Amino acid sequence: MAEARVKPRRESLVAERFGIFAECLLTGVWIAVACLGVVTYPAAFAAGARHLRRRTAQQGGGWREFTADFRSALRGGWAVGVAGWAAALLARVDVQAVRAGLPGGPPAGAVGLFALLGLAVAGLRAAAVWAPGERWRVLFADAGRRTVRDPAGSFLLVGGAVLTCTSALLIAPLAVPVLGAVAAAAVAVEERYRRR
């Protein structure tokens, strides 16, 4: 007697997409917890992005894999985190120069803020393609080139960051899960760029 082959039941498209959205929100919570180390945010986003890439490719993954990725990304990622805070400090100095009314302050402030935005976008793009064994310096240099060559994708990431900040200002607890949506946006932007 031959057994009947049972086809695996597929979820509807709506259920599948809602599952990805829910996974993004959960990943945002994981990223927020991993960011508590202040300079660990690049590693946290890298681990979150890698987790979301695995989930969208239906390769599984969970908290243990996220933690292992976070530890691996932290090896060079903490230096990127320190550099990011240094860049933010320099941008703050530029803003203070504008407020103080120093000659040339407004142009210097604008350049500083645009540079900070560019660095943030490049950082997100680098984190979106990170994999164990990758060197952050190489990832960041390549991401900087993609940031300039793909202005539409870079603008999408700036919009995601603005959305996160706005959510935090309006409803503080919403900022935590939205971090996963920002990581998902970075993954989507990089996938879009790769397929061009």
Side-chain angles (χ1 to χ4, degrees):
M1 205 182 335
E3 289 185 29
R5 294 183 86 175
V6 178
K7 288 185 177 179
R9 193 171 143 212
R10 293 209 45 179
E11 294 179 336
S12 71
L13 186 61
V14 172
E16 183 180 328
R17 289 190 177 160
F18 185 76
I20 291 170
F21 176 69
E23 196 68 39
C24 288
L25 298 180
L26 176 63
T27 303
V29 173
W30 293 351
I31 289 171
V33 169
C35 284
L36 291 176
V38 182
V39 296
T40 59
Y41 63 91
F45 272 97
R50 185 151 192 263
H51 170 74
L52 291 172
R53 286 195 319 261
R54 270 195 305 266
R55 295 300 280 185
T56 55
Q58 299 177 346
Q59 296 175 349
W63 173 251
R64 288 182 182 166
E65 288 84 358
F66 175 87
T67 304
D69 287 339
F70 174 69
R71 286 184 185 138
S72 180
L74 194 56
R75 289 188 189 107
W78 68 269
V80 176
V82 169
W85 282 113
L89 184 62
L90 287 174
R92 180 176 165 88
V93 169
D94 277 351
V95 169
Q96 288 176 341
V98 171
R99 287 185 178 167
L102 294 175
V111 167
L113 288 178
F114 279 119
L116 183 64
L117 274 175
L119 287 172
V121 168
L124 281 171
R125 293 183 91 134
V129 297
W130 176 87
E134 297 273 355
R135 296 189 57 195
W136 279 98
R137 184 180 300 163
V138 174
L139 286 173
F140 206 85
D142 291 343
R145 285 188 283 279
R146 290 191 306 275
T147 298
V148 173
R149 291 179 185 159
D150 182 24
S154 298
F155 182 74
L156 288 171
L157 289 177
V158 169
V162 168
L163 174 68
T164 302
C165 293
T166 304
S167 299
L169 290 174
L170 297 176
I171 306 169
L174 239 155
V176 170
V178 170
L179 290 173
V182 172
V187 169
V189 164
E190 285 300 309
E191 184 64 22
R192 175 187 156 276
Y193 182 81
R194 188 182 65 80
R195 290 184 180 186
R196 280 184 9 177

